[in-house]
Amino acid sequence: MPVAQVNGTEIAYDIQGQGEPVLLAAGIGGAANYFNPNITALAAKYKVVLHDHRGTGGSRRDRITYSVAQMTDDMVALMDHLGIEAAHIVGHSTGAAMAHEMGLRYPDRIKSAVLYAGWAAVDPYFKRCFDVRKRVLAESGALAYVRTTPLFLSPPWWISANIAKLETDEPVAAQHLPEPEIMLSRIEAICSYSPGEALRSLTFPALITCAKDDHLTPLYYSQRMAKVMPKADQFYFETGGHAVSQVLPEQFNAVVISYLDAVIAGRPWQAPALSYPEIA
């Protein structure tokens, strides 16, 4: 991945495809490769821009106090570097918070957003989930953190079906995890991000989506978000957990592409019919 010198740091990024710019913003892990199951399908229709958040992946591992505002400023600075005036954002979890923040502080830079597994307001359940994850990382180390992550991100049936691959991949993922100081600061950043009623001022078209069995940012988070956002469509996957774009990539890609196509064409969106795997 090439590296851009922006906003006082170094941000690794990638561009694939041509057409309308679509920025993919990852969650708390921050790495662009989270979207690997989705890039090919999206890049066949759009100019897809991905980046590793500051502190993660190939970007510089700065020891700073992280915040959603800082993550958003980095993304906007990367857009400036690439000459992208405005873009569609597909944001997962922390990435959805970044899309919120872009809409609130840089409204001219966002054309539309897919707000995937996001939230409008932090509640005690959210804080407890991330408190557990912080404690695992701080007290048990990177490998334990990586091994517990699927329990928060993926549905039980998917974990059981993919356990061999998970166990093979986890030691490598632990080696590439950002330093604990960085991850803990990133977690603190999202636990303090609670825009709430401010989201009523957002005017960009948005698709609010998650899986009905997401137990990290549960369904009611998205439903509450939809109540305060004036131009929000909603779509909820029957299964897939917090990482539905990885668990059900074909279904996720179909929904996102159909939504972006409708926004770009200026027509009302209709959700595609989806099929789901049988769960024994």
Side-chain angles (χ1 to χ4, degrees):
M1 295 172 75
V3 174
Q5 306 283 335
V6 297
N7 206 28
T9 192
E10 299 176 350
I11 300 293
Y13 69 93
D14 190 24
I15 300 174
Q16 298 191 34
Q18 297 180 342
E20 285 274 334
V22 175
L23 272 61
L24 307 185
I28 195 64
N33 64 12
Y34 174 81
F35 288 105
N36 279 354
N38 319 111
I39 296 169
T40 299
L42 293 172
K45 303 206 71 173
Y46 319 113
K47 178 180 180 178
V48 174
V49 180
L50 310 101
H51 74 288
D52 294 335
H53 298 190
R54 185 195 303 225
T56 76
S59 295
R60 201 168 73 191
R61 303 295 181 93
D62 293 338
R63 264 73 167 187
I64 63 171
T65 299
Y66 284 83
S67 69
V68 171
Q70 159 267 314
M71 297 175 204
T72 307
D73 289 343
D74 285 350
M75 186 162 66
V76 172
L78 179 61
M79 291 171 65
D80 291 341
H81 175 81
L82 298 174
I84 298 172
E85 208 169 301
H88 307 273
I89 312 296
V90 178
H92 173 233
S93 198
T94 300
M98 293 161 65
H100 285 154
E101 190 70 4
M102 184 182 287
L104 291 169
R105 295 197 297 121
Y106 303 96
D108 294 338
R109 308 303 298 271
I110 185 166
K111 294 184 176 184
S112 75
V114 177
L115 303 170
Y116 153 36
W119 68 94
V122 166
D123 66 4
Y125 177 81
F126 187 102
K127 291 182 178 179
R128 177 164 288 203
C129 283
F130 281 99
D131 182 62
V132 169
R133 297 184 75 183
K134 286 190 297 183
R135 286 179 178 273
V136 169
L137 178 59
E139 298 175 10
S140 300
L143 182 58
Y145 177 87
V146 168
R147 284 178 57 82
T148 59
T149 293
L151 301 176
F152 290 97
L153 266 61
S154 308
W157 63 266
W158 188 89
I159 293 172
S160 292
N162 291 275
I163 193 65
K165 187 175 188 311
L166 286 171
E167 291 181 347
T168 298
D169 292 348
E170 283 163 350
V172 176
Q175 289 177 358
H176 289 90
L177 192 73
E179 292 77 357
E181 176 186 347
I182 292 173
M183 280 303 300
L184 293 171
S185 183
R186 285 176 58 81
I187 291 172
E188 289 292 345
I190 64 169
C191 287
S192 64
Y193 190 73
S194 196
E197 291 293 314
L199 299 184
R200 291 191 184 277
S201 69
L202 298 181
T203 58
F204 58 81
L207 174 63
I208 294 174
T209 189
C210 71
K212 293 179 181 179
D213 57 359
D214 183 340
H215 46 268
L216 184 59
T217 52
L219 174 63
Y220 72 88
Y221 285 14
S222 288
Q223 292 172 327
R224 287 178 177 176
M225 196 194 317
K227 288 181 180 178
V228 297
M229 291 189 61
K231 293 186 178 180
D233 287 297
Q234 300 177 68
F235 181 86
Y236 302 117
F237 296 88
E238 293 299 321
T239 185
H242 188 67
V244 64
S245 62
Q246 295 186 332
V247 172
L248 299 173
E250 291 183 9
Q251 292 87 338
F252 181 85
N253 296 342
V255 169
V256 171
I257 289 170
S258 71
Y259 181 75
L260 292 175
D261 280 353
V263 170
I264 292 166
R267 56 177 167 77
W269 176 66
Q270 283 192 317
L274 300 182
S275 60
Y276 293 90
E278 287 190 18
I279 302 171

